[in-house]
Amino acid sequence: MSTDVLVVGAGPTGLATALTLARRGVDVTLLDQLAEPPTTSRAAVVHAYTLEVLDRIGAAAPLIAQAVRTPRFTVRDRDRVLLSVPFHELPSRYPYALLVSQSVTEAVLTGQLADLGVQVRRQRRLTGLTDTGDGVLAQVDGEPVRARFVVGADGLHSTVRQLTGIDFTGPSDEESFVLADVRVRSVLPRDEAALFLARPGPLIWAPLPDGVVRLVAAVADAPPAPDRAYLQALLDERGPARRPDRVTEVLWGSRFRVHHRIAETFRAGSVLLAGDAGHVHSPAGGQGMNLGICDAVALGTALADVFDGGPDTLLDDYNTRQRPMAEDVMSFAAGLTRLATVSPARRPARDVLLRLIGAVPPFRRRIALRLSGLSHREAAAELSRCDRPAS
């Protein structure tokens, strides 16, 4: 079997990569080791810049139709709003954040691919990669697959990255998180996501369609299946105090652990990395899946341009642009976590600082651009101008 591009991993990153390629007429094969796509997932927000990127491959409109639009993001300490970040003034066609389960995002991308005749080949496991000089010979369940390029979109424990020998470096410590979809009685607005800062760790509260609320919290030792009592205790400890939330139903719950790591390079010859295969970090700020999708469309576009006769150096440009973006997102997510866990003695100064930032429009706008990802759009445009030859 042969293909132009072999994409390993059918999460949002792999699906978006394959869709970008398929829309450009590139022969793409998409593999995943799971028999079925997961119906539960931790990502719940799609930011404005990601929507602009998804619009390039025709996937923004069907996703928006199934999601909650939120015009603001708030940072809170129990009942106090420390910072309100408005999205309605963003310089974008999508002046909001979209709240939607990752499983819905994946279903939209899968449907778009199916319309182009591309199906995910499931229960397929990559077992080997050999550089052939003009491409890659992959072993998939022992069967050879020849590809001009291979994209590793297979997550934190990426087989592609490991087989290629790309270093994945970062601090040795890890963060533990609990996440759940619940129904709650709450006075919190259903059109905004909130980050609660608490000494034990941050709590993310995000409304999803159909009255569901996604909770994500950093905890010391997350249970494998958090129940109603555990989640209620989390809200009592970190959420609203005067009129506390009440959990009425747990739809599902799980846990995950994350390291802060980044690949030494996103390109090794004909093998390229995208999404969590190249970078992992805290979910604070909801940046992970968004960055993976931006990786995907940037990489898919670069590959398609190469097949259309563009120079191979376009793939080096992908590495040059996306890796610094990943470093920036990792730093931003770590900073939000540090804000949550400051000592009690430093908390008053932190709260005053956040309120001052929220009161100064230029600072508030910078935070909105950063959260929405639009700061990356501006940085990419500036880099493109720098790359152009002088006239």
Side-chain angles (χ1 to χ4, degrees), residues 13 54 56 86 95 109 112 151 178 187 189 195 204 208 210-211 221-222 228 235 250 253 337 346 357 375 388:
T13 301
L54 286 170
R56 299 176 201 166
L109 293 169
Q112 296 275 308
V151 173
V178 64
V187 298
L195 172 64
I204 299 168
L208 299 177
D210 302 320
D221 187 20
R228 178 177 168 183
L235 284 167
V250 179
T337 300
R346 298 174 60 190
I357 290 173
S375 58
R388 292 181 192 137

Side-chain angles (χ1 to χ4, degrees), residues 218-232:
V219 295
D221 187 20
D227 59 14
R228 178 177 168 183
Y230 182 90
L231 296 167
Q232 184 63 61

Side-chain angles (χ1 to χ4, degrees), residues 14-20 22-23 28 30 108-120:
L15 290 164
T17 304
L19 182 56
T20 305
R23 289 209 181 280
V28 58
L30 178 58
V108 166
L109 293 169
T110 300
Q112 296 275 308
L113 272 172
D115 290 344
L116 296 172
V118 178
Q119 301 291 332
V120 180

Side-chain angles (χ1 to χ4, degrees), residues 13 266 273-275 279 290-300 318 322:
T13 301
F266 290 1
L273 303 179
H279 44 77
N290 288 269
L291 182 57
I293 291 173
C294 292
D295 284 351
V297 177
L299 176 54
Y318 162 75
Q322 296 302 121

Side-chain angles (χ1 to χ4, degrees), residues 268-354:
S270 295
V271 177
L272 301 113
L273 303 179
D276 286 358
H279 44 77
V280 291
H281 52 82
S282 164
Q287 302 292 311
M289 183 185 70
N290 288 269
L291 182 57
I293 291 173
C294 292
D295 284 351
V297 177
L299 176 54
T301 300
L303 285 166
D305 287 345
V306 169
F307 280 104
D308 282 346
D312 187 76
T313 53
L314 289 171
L315 303 178
D316 294 326
D317 294 343
Y318 162 75
N319 179 67
T320 299
R321 295 181 186 186
Q322 296 302 121
R323 195 175 183 281
M325 188 184 297
E327 292 174 335
D328 178 70
V329 167
M330 290 174 68
S331 174
F332 183 57
L336 287 176
T337 300
R338 287 194 298 271
L339 275 178
T341 56
V342 299
S343 67
R346 298 174 60 190
R347 199 171 300 159
R350 176 205 66 189
D351 294 355
V352 169
L353 176 62
L354 288 173

Side-chain angles (χ1 to χ4, degrees), residues 46 54 66 105 116 133 138 243 247 253 298 305:
V46 181
L54 286 170
Q66 301 183 57
T105 303
L116 296 172
R243 300 173 67 184
V247 179
D305 287 345

